[in-house]
Amino acid sequence: MPPRNDDDWSDSDDDDVSDIETNVQIGLPDGPIESSEELRDPRVSRIGGHPAFLNPPPPASSVKCKNCGDPISLLVQVWCPLDESPNDRALYVWGCARGACQKKDGSVRAWRHLRYNKKYAEKLAKNAERRKTKEETERKAIEEAARRSQPKTNPFSMKATAAPNPFDLGSQVFGDAPAPAKENDASSSSDEAVSDEEDVEESQDDTDIAARLASTTLDDSPWQETPAYGALYLSTTSEYLPPAKKVKLPKGVEVNEDDEGKGKDGGWALEGYENSIEVDHAFERFTKRVGYEGEQCIRYELGGTPLPFASDAVFDKLFPAPTGPPLPVTKPDFMVVPAQKRTYTPSSVPACPHCGGPRVFECQLMPNLINVLRASTKTDEGKKKLSDEERRQQIMKELKGEGAGGRVGMEWGTCMVFSCQKDCSDEAAGGCWREELVLVQWDD
């Protein structure tokens, strides 16, 4: 069954049809990470903990809250290399939990870390060359088939093309020319050989990467001094939604079903009567969508459509309201208001400051992540004894109103991360460490 993008407004669900898989990957907590090797491995996606880097660690001073200036905690780390990119790739999102920094820009920040993978780059070049050769072979085969399908010339015509043997006309009349060599046979066996070779190379690459990463450590690094939640595995699963029910509509009301299942435009059809009700329909839709899998901590869909938390300035920016004629106010002019559709507009997101290319939606953090991080912190604190210095710092936080009795904790509804579509990098330096855009919708 093909994936469906559930971005059109729906009031109900259908119970008699099987669930439909979307393009979204949902991230779920999957127990604590206790292996020191996996804690150092950037290929292990995680919730909380300290970051694991691809290259020598960037300066810890680069990740601070833009409001208080203090180091902030890692919320999630996602291993997410792109299929057609020669770079290893990981995404990091940090957040500040100070009460005074909530609802302020710069308290949640995201970076992507790239490392040039020479072996994978060579593999991509081989695949590209193989595709080019295959396409050229297919093109020649099509041209040969087209030439052979041309109408046979009349051998008795004065305009007939001379044959090698002018007295042997049988092969020309009855089409008994020798069959061309099967070019695809050699290509097919070559493909199989290359495929086997790639499997071997891939296993070798994994071994090499594991060996390099095993030598990477944050011991004696400033990163070890940064605040951290307990580290949990982040596992992923596909999102499944029940199909929308078919409901009876009043006369004169039309539903546009053309965009159902087309994927990337993110249409939001809002019925006219809903505009007169003091209800945040974006929030209602958010809770309904998330309710199908309440444990989700992250939603990942590179190049997809974000799921807005509420009807606020961020929502209006990403899903601008269409312009339309003014509504009639007099009784004789009363009419059924046509459905208003808000469409996700990626062009409203600022371009990448490094290459000038467009940014696309990559993922968003969900409210349950706050609960999971809070629980992991309590569990982690229960396992270790506080030193005298740690107790002193905790008392100082209490006096400043930042302890258990003060206003502490993240208060966002969702944090949307937008990254460079080109995944631009500094190949000369072997990779890069670049900040990406985060748009936060706060929980009021």
Side-chain angles (χ1 to χ4, degrees), residues 48-69:
H50 285 103
F53 295 107
L54 301 167
N55 289 322
S61 58
S62 64
V63 185
K64 291 184 176 181
C65 176
K66 290 185 177 180
N67 301 289
C68 65

PDB file of all heavy atoms in Angstrom, residues 48-69:
ATOM      1  N   GLY A  48      19.491  12.292  25.017  1.00  0.00           N
ATOM      2  CA  GLY A  48      20.308  12.706  26.141  1.00  0.00           C
ATOM      3  C   GLY A  48      21.736  12.218  26.038  1.00  0.00           C
ATOM      4  O   GLY A  48      22.235  11.889  24.966  1.00  0.00           O
ATOM      5  N   GLY A  49      22.417  12.168  27.201  1.00  0.00           N
ATOM      6  CA  GLY A  49      23.807  11.764  27.237  1.00  0.00           C
ATOM      7  C   GLY A  49      24.742  12.852  26.728  1.00  0.00           C
ATOM      8  O   GLY A  49      24.330  13.984  26.457  1.00  0.00           O
ATOM      9  N   HIS A  50      26.027  12.495  26.591  1.00  0.00           N
ATOM     10  CA  HIS A  50      27.004  13.389  25.981  1.00  0.00           C
ATOM     11  C   HIS A  50      27.102  13.066  24.487  1.00  0.00           C
ATOM     12  O   HIS A  50      26.867  11.923  24.087  1.00  0.00           O
ATOM     13  CB  HIS A  50      28.379  13.218  26.635  1.00  0.00           C
ATOM     14  CG  HIS A  50      28.475  13.846  27.997  1.00  0.00           C
ATOM     15  ND1 HIS A  50      28.433  13.104  29.154  1.00  0.00           N
ATOM     16  CD2 HIS A  50      28.582  15.139  28.385  1.00  0.00           C
ATOM     17  CE1 HIS A  50      28.524  13.908  30.198  1.00  0.00           C
ATOM     18  NE2 HIS A  50      28.617  15.153  29.760  1.00  0.00           N
ATOM     19  N   PRO A  51      27.460  14.048  23.658  1.00  0.00           N
ATOM     20  CA  PRO A  51      27.545  13.796  22.214  1.00  0.00           C
ATOM     21  C   PRO A  51      28.724  12.901  21.854  1.00  0.00           C
ATOM     22  O   PRO A  51      29.732  12.852  22.563  1.00  0.00           O
ATOM     23  CB  PRO A  51      27.729  15.202  21.628  1.00  0.00           C
ATOM     24  CG  PRO A  51      28.380  15.980  22.734  1.00  0.00           C
ATOM     25  CD  PRO A  51      27.809  15.442  24.012  1.00  0.00           C
ATOM     26  N   ALA A  52      28.581  12.173  20.763  1.00  0.00           N
ATOM     27  CA  ALA A  52      29.676  11.403  20.166  1.00  0.00           C
ATOM     28  C   ALA A  52      29.934  12.007  18.792  1.00  0.00           C
ATOM     29  O   ALA A  52      29.002  12.139  17.989  1.00  0.00           O
ATOM     30  CB  ALA A  52      29.305   9.926  20.062  1.00  0.00           C
ATOM     31  N   PHE A  53      31.171  12.367  18.519  1.00  0.00           N
ATOM     32  CA  PHE A  53      31.477  13.138  17.317  1.00  0.00           C
ATOM     33  C   PHE A  53      32.156  12.293  16.247  1.00  0.00           C
ATOM     34  O   PHE A  53      32.775  11.265  16.532  1.00  0.00           O
ATOM     35  CB  PHE A  53      32.364  14.334  17.669  1.00  0.00           C
ATOM     36  CG  PHE A  53      31.680  15.330  18.561  1.00  0.00           C
ATOM     37  CD1 PHE A  53      32.037  15.433  19.896  1.00  0.00           C
ATOM     38  CD2 PHE A  53      30.671  16.142  18.077  1.00  0.00           C
ATOM     39  CE1 PHE A  53      31.409  16.347  20.723  1.00  0.00           C
ATOM     40  CE2 PHE A  53      30.036  17.059  18.895  1.00  0.00           C
ATOM     41  CZ  PHE A  53      30.406  17.164  20.227  1.00  0.00           C
ATOM     42  N   LEU A  54      32.063  12.773  14.991  1.00  0.00           N
ATOM     43  CA  LEU A  54      32.644  12.085  13.844  1.00  0.00           C
ATOM     44  C   LEU A  54      34.120  12.406  13.675  1.00  0.00           C
ATOM     45  O   LEU A  54      34.913  11.568  13.282  1.00  0.00           O
ATOM     46  CB  LEU A  54      31.904  12.483  12.567  1.00  0.00           C
ATOM     47  CG  LEU A  54      30.403  12.177  12.540  1.00  0.00           C
ATOM     48  CD1 LEU A  54      29.752  12.887  11.375  1.00  0.00           C
ATOM     49  CD2 LEU A  54      30.182  10.694  12.435  1.00  0.00           C
ATOM     50  N   ASN A  55      34.473  13.651  13.916  1.00  0.00           N
ATOM     51  CA  ASN A  55      35.841  14.126  13.782  1.00  0.00           C
ATOM     52  C   ASN A  55      36.332  14.537  15.164  1.00  0.00           C
ATOM     53  O   ASN A  55      35.603  14.402  16.152  1.00  0.00           O
ATOM     54  CB  ASN A  55      35.887  15.328  12.830  1.00  0.00           C
ATOM     55  CG  ASN A  55      35.640  14.913  11.389  1.00  0.00           C
ATOM     56  OD1 ASN A  55      36.097  13.874  10.954  1.00  0.00           O
ATOM     57  ND2 ASN A  55      34.913  15.730  10.647  1.00  0.00           N
ATOM     58  N   PRO A  56      37.528  15.065  15.267  1.00  0.00           N
ATOM     59  CA  PRO A  56      37.918  15.670  16.542  1.00  0.00           C
ATOM     60  C   PRO A  56      36.832  16.627  17.010  1.00  0.00           C
ATOM     61  O   PRO A  56      36.287  17.400  16.224  1.00  0.00           O
ATOM     62  CB  PRO A  56      39.216  16.408  16.190  1.00  0.00           C
ATOM     63  CG  PRO A  56      39.794  15.612  15.068  1.00  0.00           C
ATOM     64  CD  PRO A  56      38.610  15.117  14.283  1.00  0.00           C
ATOM     65  N   PRO A  57      36.455  16.574  18.286  1.00  0.00           N
ATOM     66  CA  PRO A  57      35.301  17.348  18.772  1.00  0.00           C
ATOM     67  C   PRO A  57      35.422  18.836  18.490  1.00  0.00           C
ATOM     68  O   PRO A  57      36.519  19.413  18.596  1.00  0.00           O
ATOM     69  CB  PRO A  57      35.314  17.069  20.277  1.00  0.00           C
ATOM     70  CG  PRO A  57      36.070  15.793  20.430  1.00  0.00           C
ATOM     71  CD  PRO A  57      37.090  15.798  19.338  1.00  0.00           C
ATOM     72  N   PRO A  58      34.334  19.480  18.124  1.00  0.00           N
ATOM     73  CA  PRO A  58      34.343  20.940  17.988  1.00  0.00           C
ATOM     74  C   PRO A  58      34.475  21.568  19.371  1.00  0.00           C
ATOM     75  O   PRO A  58      34.306  20.882  20.387  1.00  0.00           O
ATOM     76  CB  PRO A  58      32.971  21.236  17.358  1.00  0.00           C
ATOM     77  CG  PRO A  58      32.121  20.090  17.784  1.00  0.00           C
ATOM     78  CD  PRO A  58      33.010  18.895  17.844  1.00  0.00           C
ATOM     79  N   PRO A  59      34.777  22.844  19.442  1.00  0.00           N
ATOM     80  CA  PRO A  59      34.908  23.476  20.765  1.00  0.00           C
ATOM     81  C   PRO A  59      33.592  23.447  21.534  1.00  0.00           C
ATOM     82  O   PRO A  59      32.533  23.742  20.984  1.00  0.00           O
ATOM     83  CB  PRO A  59      35.344  24.908  20.422  1.00  0.00           C
ATOM     84  CG  PRO A  59      34.950  25.109  18.997  1.00  0.00           C
ATOM     85  CD  PRO A  59      35.054  23.778  18.340  1.00  0.00           C
ATOM     86  N   ALA A  60      33.662  23.058  22.796  1.00  0.00           N
ATOM     87  CA  ALA A  60      32.452  22.988  23.613  1.00  0.00           C
ATOM     88  C   ALA A  60      31.819  24.359  23.792  1.00  0.00           C
ATOM     89  O   ALA A  60      30.612  24.480  24.041  1.00  0.00           O
ATOM     90  CB  ALA A  60      32.790  22.377  24.978  1.00  0.00           C
ATOM     91  N   SER A  61      32.609  25.406  23.641  1.00  0.00           N
ATOM     92  CA  SER A  61      32.082  26.770  23.800  1.00  0.00           C
ATOM     93  C   SER A  61      31.118  27.147  22.689  1.00  0.00           C
ATOM     94  O   SER A  61      30.392  28.140  22.809  1.00  0.00           O
ATOM     95  CB  SER A  61      33.246  27.767  23.829  1.00  0.00           C
ATOM     96  OG  SER A  61      34.012  27.669  22.632  1.00  0.00           O
ATOM     97  N   SER A  62      31.082  26.360  21.588  1.00  0.00           N
ATOM     98  CA  SER A  62      30.195  26.701  20.471  1.00  0.00           C
ATOM     99  C   SER A  62      28.740  26.397  20.791  1.00  0.00           C
ATOM    100  O   SER A  62      27.844  26.940  20.143  1.00  0.00           O
ATOM    101  CB  SER A  62      30.615  25.941  19.208  1.00  0.00           C
ATOM    102  OG  SER A  62      30.462  24.539  19.397  1.00  0.00           O
ATOM    103  N   VAL A  63      28.497  25.545  21.767  1.00  0.00           N
ATOM    104  CA  VAL A  63      27.120  25.150  22.086  1.00  0.00           C
ATOM    105  C   VAL A  63      26.739  25.722  23.441  1.00  0.00           C
ATOM    106  O   VAL A  63      26.918  25.071  24.479  1.00  0.00           O
ATOM    107  CB  VAL A  63      26.967  23.615  22.080  1.00  0.00           C
ATOM    108  CG1 VAL A  63      25.506  23.246  22.294  1.00  0.00           C
ATOM    109  CG2 VAL A  63      27.446  23.034  20.764  1.00  0.00           C
ATOM    110  N   LYS A  64      26.242  26.932  23.418  1.00  0.00           N
ATOM    111  CA  LYS A  64      25.764  27.597  24.623  1.00  0.00           C
ATOM    112  C   LYS A  64      24.419  28.239  24.357  1.00  0.00           C
ATOM    113  O   LYS A  64      24.078  28.542  23.208  1.00  0.00           O
ATOM    114  CB  LYS A  64      26.764  28.657  25.091  1.00  0.00           C
ATOM    115  CG  LYS A  64      28.074  28.095  25.622  1.00  0.00           C
ATOM    116  CD  LYS A  64      28.964  29.201  26.162  1.00  0.00           C
ATOM    117  CE  LYS A  64      30.240  28.623  26.773  1.00  0.00           C
ATOM    118  NZ  LYS A  64      31.116  29.679  27.326  1.00  0.00           N
ATOM    119  N   CYS A  65      23.650  28.438  25.406  1.00  0.00           N
ATOM    120  CA  CYS A  65      22.369  29.145  25.269  1.00  0.00           C
ATOM    121  C   CYS A  65      22.653  30.586  24.871  1.00  0.00           C
ATOM    122  O   CYS A  65      23.528  31.251  25.454  1.00  0.00           O
ATOM    123  CB  CYS A  65      21.610  29.079  26.591  1.00  0.00           C
ATOM    124  SG  CYS A  65      20.065  30.014  26.591  1.00  0.00           S
ATOM    125  N   LYS A  66      21.935  31.087  23.893  1.00  0.00           N
ATOM    126  CA  LYS A  66      22.146  32.459  23.435  1.00  0.00           C
ATOM    127  C   LYS A  66      21.588  33.490  24.400  1.00  0.00           C
ATOM    128  O   LYS A  66      21.824  34.693  24.220  1.00  0.00           O
ATOM    129  CB  LYS A  66      21.504  32.649  22.064  1.00  0.00           C
ATOM    130  CG  LYS A  66      22.213  31.910  20.937  1.00  0.00           C
ATOM    131  CD  LYS A  66      21.594  32.246  19.592  1.00  0.00           C
ATOM    132  CE  LYS A  66      22.349  31.562  18.460  1.00  0.00           C
ATOM    133  NZ  LYS A  66      21.756  31.881  17.130  1.00  0.00           N
ATOM    134  N   ASN A  67      20.878  33.034  25.421  1.00  0.00           N
ATOM    135  CA  ASN A  67      20.274  33.967  26.375  1.00  0.00           C
ATOM    136  C   ASN A  67      21.083  34.072  27.668  1.00  0.00           C
ATOM    137  O   ASN A  67      21.472  35.163  28.067  1.00  0.00           O
ATOM    138  CB  ASN A  67      18.839  33.531  26.680  1.00  0.00           C
ATOM    139  CG  ASN A  67      17.971  33.469  25.441  1.00  0.00           C
ATOM    140  OD1 ASN A  67      17.607  34.486  24.868  1.00  0.00           O
ATOM    141  ND2 ASN A  67      17.648  32.261  24.988  1.00  0.00           N
ATOM    142  N   CYS A  68      21.353  32.924  28.316  1.00  0.00           N
ATOM    143  CA  CYS A  68      22.085  32.948  29.575  1.00  0.00           C
ATOM    144  C   CYS A  68      23.580  32.747  29.389  1.00  0.00           C
ATOM    145  O   CYS A  68      24.366  33.033  30.296  1.00  0.00           O
ATOM    146  CB  CYS A  68      21.527  31.900  30.532  1.00  0.00           C
ATOM    147  SG  CYS A  68      21.749  30.180  29.988  1.00  0.00           S
ATOM    148  N   GLY A  69      23.994  32.223  28.221  1.00  0.00           N
ATOM    149  CA  GLY A  69      25.405  32.004  27.957  1.00  0.00           C
ATOM    150  C   GLY A  69      25.976  30.767  28.596  1.00  0.00           C
ATOM    151  O   GLY A  69      27.181  30.514  28.491  1.00  0.00           O
TER     152      GLY A  69
END
